[in-house]
PDB file of all heavy atoms in Angstrom:
ATOM      1  N   THR A 250      28.394  26.080  11.367  1.00  0.00           N
ATOM      2  CA  THR A 250      29.493  26.261  10.434  1.00  0.00           C
ATOM      3  C   THR A 250      30.051  27.657  10.639  1.00  0.00           C
ATOM      4  O   THR A 250      29.553  28.444  11.456  1.00  0.00           O
ATOM      5  CB  THR A 250      29.035  26.081   8.985  1.00  0.00           C
ATOM      6  OG1 THR A 250      30.164  26.131   8.125  1.00  0.00           O
ATOM      7  CG2 THR A 250      28.050  27.164   8.580  1.00  0.00           C
ATOM      8  N   ILE A 251      31.089  27.976   9.882  1.00  0.00           N
ATOM      9  CA  ILE A 251      31.723  29.299   9.949  1.00  0.00           C
ATOM     10  C   ILE A 251      31.582  29.944   8.572  1.00  0.00           C
ATOM     11  O   ILE A 251      31.989  29.357   7.563  1.00  0.00           O
ATOM     12  CB  ILE A 251      33.193  29.191  10.354  1.00  0.00           C
ATOM     13  CG1 ILE A 251      33.315  28.679  11.800  1.00  0.00           C
ATOM     14  CG2 ILE A 251      33.892  30.548  10.235  1.00  0.00           C
ATOM     15  CD1 ILE A 251      34.743  28.495  12.282  1.00  0.00           C
ATOM     16  N   ALA A 252      31.019  31.137   8.568  1.00  0.00           N
ATOM     17  CA  ALA A 252      30.851  31.924   7.329  1.00  0.00           C
ATOM     18  C   ALA A 252      31.415  33.309   7.552  1.00  0.00           C
ATOM     19  O   ALA A 252      30.950  34.038   8.435  1.00  0.00           O
ATOM     20  CB  ALA A 252      29.398  31.997   6.943  1.00  0.00           C
ATOM     21  N   HIS A 253      32.448  33.642   6.737  1.00  0.00           N
ATOM     22  CA  HIS A 253      33.103  34.953   6.833  1.00  0.00           C
ATOM     23  C   HIS A 253      33.627  35.194   8.268  1.00  0.00           C
ATOM     24  O   HIS A 253      33.408  36.249   8.877  1.00  0.00           O
ATOM     25  CB  HIS A 253      32.157  36.075   6.430  1.00  0.00           C
ATOM     26  CG  HIS A 253      31.616  35.935   5.042  1.00  0.00           C
ATOM     27  ND1 HIS A 253      32.381  36.153   3.913  1.00  0.00           N
ATOM     28  CD2 HIS A 253      30.393  35.561   4.607  1.00  0.00           C
ATOM     29  CE1 HIS A 253      31.639  35.939   2.840  1.00  0.00           C
ATOM     30  NE2 HIS A 253      30.436  35.574   3.228  1.00  0.00           N
ATOM     31  N   LYS A 254      34.295  34.168   8.810  1.00  0.00           N
ATOM     32  CA  LYS A 254      34.906  34.218  10.134  1.00  0.00           C
ATOM     33  C   LYS A 254      33.890  34.458  11.252  1.00  0.00           C
ATOM     34  O   LYS A 254      34.220  35.000  12.320  1.00  0.00           O
ATOM     35  CB  LYS A 254      35.990  35.305  10.191  1.00  0.00           C
ATOM     36  CG  LYS A 254      37.131  35.070   9.228  1.00  0.00           C
ATOM     37  CD  LYS A 254      38.167  36.166   9.352  1.00  0.00           C
ATOM     38  CE  LYS A 254      39.313  35.948   8.367  1.00  0.00           C
ATOM     39  NZ  LYS A 254      40.351  37.005   8.484  1.00  0.00           N
ATOM     40  N   LEU A 255      32.668  34.020  11.008  1.00  0.00           N
ATOM     41  CA  LEU A 255      31.623  34.179  11.996  1.00  0.00           C
ATOM     42  C   LEU A 255      30.853  32.884  12.136  1.00  0.00           C
ATOM     43  O   LEU A 255      30.482  32.270  11.131  1.00  0.00           O
ATOM     44  CB  LEU A 255      30.657  35.322  11.582  1.00  0.00           C
ATOM     45  CG  LEU A 255      29.528  35.643  12.569  1.00  0.00           C
ATOM     46  CD1 LEU A 255      30.109  36.228  13.840  1.00  0.00           C
ATOM     47  CD2 LEU A 255      28.544  36.631  11.938  1.00  0.00           C
ATOM     48  N   GLY A 256      30.651  32.463  13.353  1.00  0.00           N
ATOM     49  CA  GLY A 256      29.907  31.211  13.589  1.00  0.00           C
ATOM     50  C   GLY A 256      28.420  31.368  13.260  1.00  0.00           C
ATOM     51  O   GLY A 256      27.776  32.319  13.724  1.00  0.00           O
ATOM     52  N   VAL A 257      27.909  30.441  12.467  1.00  0.00           N
ATOM     53  CA  VAL A 257      26.508  30.486  12.040  1.00  0.00           C
ATOM     54  C   VAL A 257      25.859  29.147  12.375  1.00  0.00           C
ATOM     55  O   VAL A 257      26.443  28.073  12.117  1.00  0.00           O
ATOM     56  CB  VAL A 257      26.390  30.768  10.520  1.00  0.00           C
ATOM     57  CG1 VAL A 257      24.922  30.835  10.109  1.00  0.00           C
ATOM     58  CG2 VAL A 257      27.073  32.076  10.175  1.00  0.00           C
ATOM     59  N   GLU A 258      24.657  29.200  12.933  1.00  0.00           N
ATOM     60  CA  GLU A 258      23.924  27.990  13.257  1.00  0.00           C
ATOM     61  C   GLU A 258      22.535  28.042  12.614  1.00  0.00           C
ATOM     62  O   GLU A 258      21.931  29.107  12.498  1.00  0.00           O
ATOM     63  CB  GLU A 258      23.755  27.850  14.786  1.00  0.00           C
ATOM     64  CG  GLU A 258      25.061  27.585  15.490  1.00  0.00           C
ATOM     65  CD  GLU A 258      24.859  27.378  16.983  1.00  0.00           C
ATOM     66  OE1 GLU A 258      23.685  27.459  17.443  1.00  0.00           O
ATOM     67  OE2 GLU A 258      25.850  27.135  17.690  1.00  0.00           O
ATOM     68  N   MET A 259      22.058  26.869  12.194  1.00  0.00           N
ATOM     69  CA  MET A 259      20.736  26.736  11.602  1.00  0.00           C
ATOM     70  C   MET A 259      20.059  25.534  12.224  1.00  0.00           C
ATOM     71  O   MET A 259      20.675  24.449  12.282  1.00  0.00           O
ATOM     72  CB  MET A 259      20.825  26.580  10.084  1.00  0.00           C
ATOM     73  CG  MET A 259      21.127  27.863   9.354  1.00  0.00           C
ATOM     74  SD  MET A 259      19.737  28.992   9.241  1.00  0.00           S
ATOM     75  CE  MET A 259      18.689  28.093   8.118  1.00  0.00           C
ATOM     76  N   ARG A 260      18.819  25.741  12.667  1.00  0.00           N
ATOM     77  CA  ARG A 260      18.027  24.646  13.217  1.00  0.00           C
ATOM     78  C   ARG A 260      16.953  24.266  12.208  1.00  0.00           C
ATOM     79  O   ARG A 260      16.203  25.134  11.712  1.00  0.00           O
ATOM     80  CB  ARG A 260      17.371  25.050  14.545  1.00  0.00           C
ATOM     81  CG  ARG A 260      16.623  23.910  15.240  1.00  0.00           C
ATOM     82  CD  ARG A 260      16.037  24.376  16.550  1.00  0.00           C
ATOM     83  NE  ARG A 260      17.088  24.746  17.494  1.00  0.00           N
ATOM     84  CZ  ARG A 260      17.724  23.904  18.279  1.00  0.00           C
ATOM     85  NH1 ARG A 260      17.400  22.603  18.249  1.00  0.00           N
ATOM     86  NH2 ARG A 260      18.653  24.300  19.105  1.00  0.00           N
ATOM     87  N   PHE A 261      16.856  22.979  11.911  1.00  0.00           N
ATOM     88  CA  PHE A 261      15.911  22.465  10.914  1.00  0.00           C
ATOM     89  C   PHE A 261      14.942  21.520  11.603  1.00  0.00           C
ATOM     90  O   PHE A 261      15.315  20.746  12.501  1.00  0.00           O
ATOM     91  CB  PHE A 261      16.637  21.745   9.791  1.00  0.00           C
ATOM     92  CG  PHE A 261      17.556  22.601   8.977  1.00  0.00           C
ATOM     93  CD1 PHE A 261      18.906  22.724   9.301  1.00  0.00           C
ATOM     94  CD2 PHE A 261      17.080  23.302   7.895  1.00  0.00           C
ATOM     95  CE1 PHE A 261      19.743  23.497   8.557  1.00  0.00           C
ATOM     96  CE2 PHE A 261      17.924  24.114   7.128  1.00  0.00           C
ATOM     97  CZ  PHE A 261      19.250  24.206   7.470  1.00  0.00           C
TER      98      PHE A 261
END
Side-chain angles (χ1 to χ4, degrees):
T250 186
I251 294 178
H253 303 287
K254 299 181 181 180
L255 183 66
V257 180
E258 293 183 359
M259 285 285 290
R260 185 179 295 275
F261 296 93

